[in-house]
Amino acid sequence: MTSWIKSSCRKGAHAEATRAANCRRNGRSYIAFNGSAISCLTSFRYYSRFCCKKKLAGRSSALIMRASQRRSRSMWIFAVNEQAGSGRGKIIWKLVEAELQRRSLPYLAVITASAETACEEVHSLLARSRSGIQSQSQGQSLAGSNQSPSNVRAVTVIGGDGTVHSILPALQGSGVPLGLIPSGSGNDTARAFGIPKQPLAALERVLQGETVAVDLIILGGNNSGNVQPQKPVLTALAVGFDAAIASAVNRSSYKKLCNRLGVGSLAYVIALFHMLLIYRPRQMTVTIDGTQHVYNRGWMAAICNVPAYGGGLRICPEASPSDGVLDICIVHTCTPLQLLRLFPTLLTGKHVRLPFVTMLRGRRVSVSAESMEGAAPISAFGDGEPACDVPLEVEAASNRLFLVR
């Protein structure tokens, strides 16, 4: 590790770029510290130690030392999924990084090839940041403070809904705000919170925007009698038919093609018609704050924290991410043709008037369904990502996350 850091300083940007390329090729994450690639998180720990001991020399080390010194005041962390939107994340990060360097802003980027690898590294960086501030405070009390001690201004995701979802465990309850520069195929989270599509406009919102407290959906899956670890969900938890559509899209060969052509929503239309042919509704029981509701032919139950998901479909038009209550939409006792006719009304929210649509609200929700021979268990997707199978239990968690908008 020591020899690599010294050689990086001598060879400059070319060696750094080569190291970053090797990390990408091997499917590993790496850290970019104000433009300098410093390999994986383990390397970052050694790297910080050598910076403090001033063992680096030359022009490259001067840049690194300035970044390290700024880190003691405040900085921005960027979690970058280069594969988001079929490679759009990588393109957008280049634009954003150039603007950060133009403004001479201190930043650190966690570059990942997938959403799943980002959370652990961000969590470790935040923990190190808080421990550093705590040691500097020399035991001063932080009681009554709404925010955890940290010199991180925000953790900003450059990716899609899956990347945002993967970062939530590291940020919930931390006091560190979540920023977002959308680069995925769906971008439901950005749409729900009014984040601009244009990358530099979204960056400006991260740097200058308002920080607000928002609720989370806390999923504690009760699958086959085994209580699952709690998982935070930001936008919505889809159970049943729409989860089957999301699963079909994720397994399909046409998703990447649709993204490359700029028509990502077309993949969901294809999956919709496919699921109409093969999906089988079944008896579904939805319990809200202790009150049980039984539906003989339950197609789907959507548990929402925001009004719209699925590319702008207004599933729960009255939902709010700051009221401490979950909105639930249940579709039941209808034919496949009626279900198909339902979907255009989701764009405006007029489906709530239909007799086979039931809208409910509550803080605690559980969903179960009867088993059906030859059919797979009903699955649930949170923020567009696989979550668990039914039965499941969720709860609204008020003001659990800070978000820059």
Side-chain angles (χ1 to χ4, degrees):
M1 181 58 64
T2 306
S3 60
W4 176 77
I5 292 176
K6 290 180 178 179
S7 66
S8 177
C9 293
R10 288 195 300 267
K11 296 179 182 178
H14 177 73
E16 293 166 355
T18 301
R19 187 69 175 183
N22 289 337
C23 288
R24 288 194 191 99
R25 185 161 49 249
N26 295 328
R28 300 170 62 196
S29 300
Y30 65 95
I31 306 295
F33 207 0
N34 274 34
S36 301
I38 56 175
S39 189
C40 60
L41 190 59
T42 304
S43 303
F44 174 69
R45 299 188 182 111
Y46 286 100
Y47 183 83
S48 300
R49 187 181 70 188
F50 283 116
C51 279
C52 294
K53 291 184 178 181
K54 297 184 180 181
K55 288 194 175 183
L56 299 177
R59 186 174 180 180
S60 294
S61 84
L63 171 65
I64 294 164
M65 287 300 296
R66 287 198 298 272
S68 181
Q69 290 162 1
R70 284 175 181 163
R71 186 170 170 268
S72 65
R73 299 197 298 269
S74 65
M75 72 184 315
W76 284 266
I77 291 178
F78 290 83
V80 183
N81 182 1
E82 294 188 322
Q83 301 304 315
S86 297
R88 190 164 180 261
K90 182 177 180 180
I91 297 172
I92 289 178
W93 169 238
K94 289 182 178 179
L95 293 174
V96 170
E97 185 175 34
E99 181 66 14
L100 292 170
Q101 292 178 353
R102 187 186 71 82
R103 298 190 185 194
S104 298
L105 293 173
Y107 70 90
L108 188 150
V110 177
I111 314 295
T112 71
S114 66
E116 293 76 13
T117 58
C119 182
E120 181 181 350
E121 296 184 2
V122 169
H123 188 276
S124 181
L125 290 173
L126 291 178
R128 189 180 301 110
S129 173
R130 283 191 288 268
S131 64
I133 295 295
Q134 286 174 337
S135 64
Q136 293 174 18
S137 67
Q138 296 180 349
Q140 293 179 5
S141 174
L142 292 164
S145 173
N146 290 329
Q147 302 219 5
S148 298
S150 175
N151 58 3
V152 177
R153 297 284 296 273
V155 173
T156 299
V157 170
I158 298 182
D161 297 316
T163 312
V164 174
H165 180 74
S166 71
I167 293 295
L168 293 178
L171 292 185
Q172 66 163 338
S174 70
V176 178
L178 167 69
L180 179 57
I181 300 176
S183 64
S185 55
N187 299 319
D188 286 329
T189 308
R191 187 181 296 105
F193 292 99
I195 306 298
K197 293 181 181 179
Q198 209 281 331
L200 295 186
L203 173 63
E204 189 65 28
R205 191 72 64 87
V206 169
L207 300 177
Q208 305 294 339
E210 174 189 13
T211 299
V212 297
V214 299
D215 305 336
L216 289 176
I217 304 171
I218 302 300
L219 169 64
N222 183 8
N223 189 356
S224 301
N226 298 320
V227 177
Q228 302 296 318
Q230 290 190 339
K231 302 176 184 178
V233 176
L234 179 54
T235 57
L237 187 72
V239 183
F241 183 73
D242 50 349
I245 292 175
S247 178
V249 170
N250 289 345
R251 296 193 311 267
S252 71
S253 58
Y254 49 77
K255 180 181 180 180
K256 287 187 177 181
L257 176 61
C258 290
N259 286 339
R260 288 171 184 169
L261 295 176
V263 287
S265 58
L266 179 60
Y268 292 89
V269 175
I270 297 171
L272 166 63
F273 284 98
H274 180 211
M275 286 296 110
L276 280 172
L277 296 174
I278 65 173
Y279 190 83
R280 299 165 65 185
R282 63 195 76 179
Q283 186 180 85
M284 184 179 292
T285 302
V286 181
T287 304
I288 301 177
D289 293 334
T291 302
Q292 193 175 82
H293 308 265
V294 181
Y295 305 95
N296 288 329
R297 285 173 51 83
W299 282 89
M300 57 174 276
I303 304 169
C304 296
N305 194 35
V306 298
Y309 70 91
L313 300 178
R314 297 182 61 80
I315 309 290
C316 293
E318 301 300 319
S320 168
S322 58
D323 62 0
V325 179
L326 301 174
D327 288 59
I328 304 96
C329 173
I330 301 112
V331 180
H332 54 92
T333 57
C334 64
T335 66
L337 182 58
Q338 287 175 315
L339 185 63
L340 180 61
R341 290 175 177 173
L342 163 76
F343 275 86
T345 66
L346 293 174
L347 295 171
T348 59
K350 293 182 179 179
H351 65 289
V352 300
R353 306 172 186 172
L354 297 173
F356 49 86
V357 175
T358 300
M359 305 298 297
L360 301 169
R361 306 188 83 209
R363 287 189 55 85
R364 292 179 176 85
V365 183
S366 66
V367 181
S368 61
E370 68 173 359
S371 59
M372 186 176 291
E373 186 177 354
I378 290 180
S379 61
F381 272 54
D383 296 326
E385 297 297 309
C388 66
D389 294 335
V390 298
L392 60 83
E393 297 177 359
V394 301
E395 181 179 1
S398 300
N399 301 332
R400 189 65 65 88
L401 179 73
F402 288 99
L403 186 139
V404 183
R405 56 186 299 181

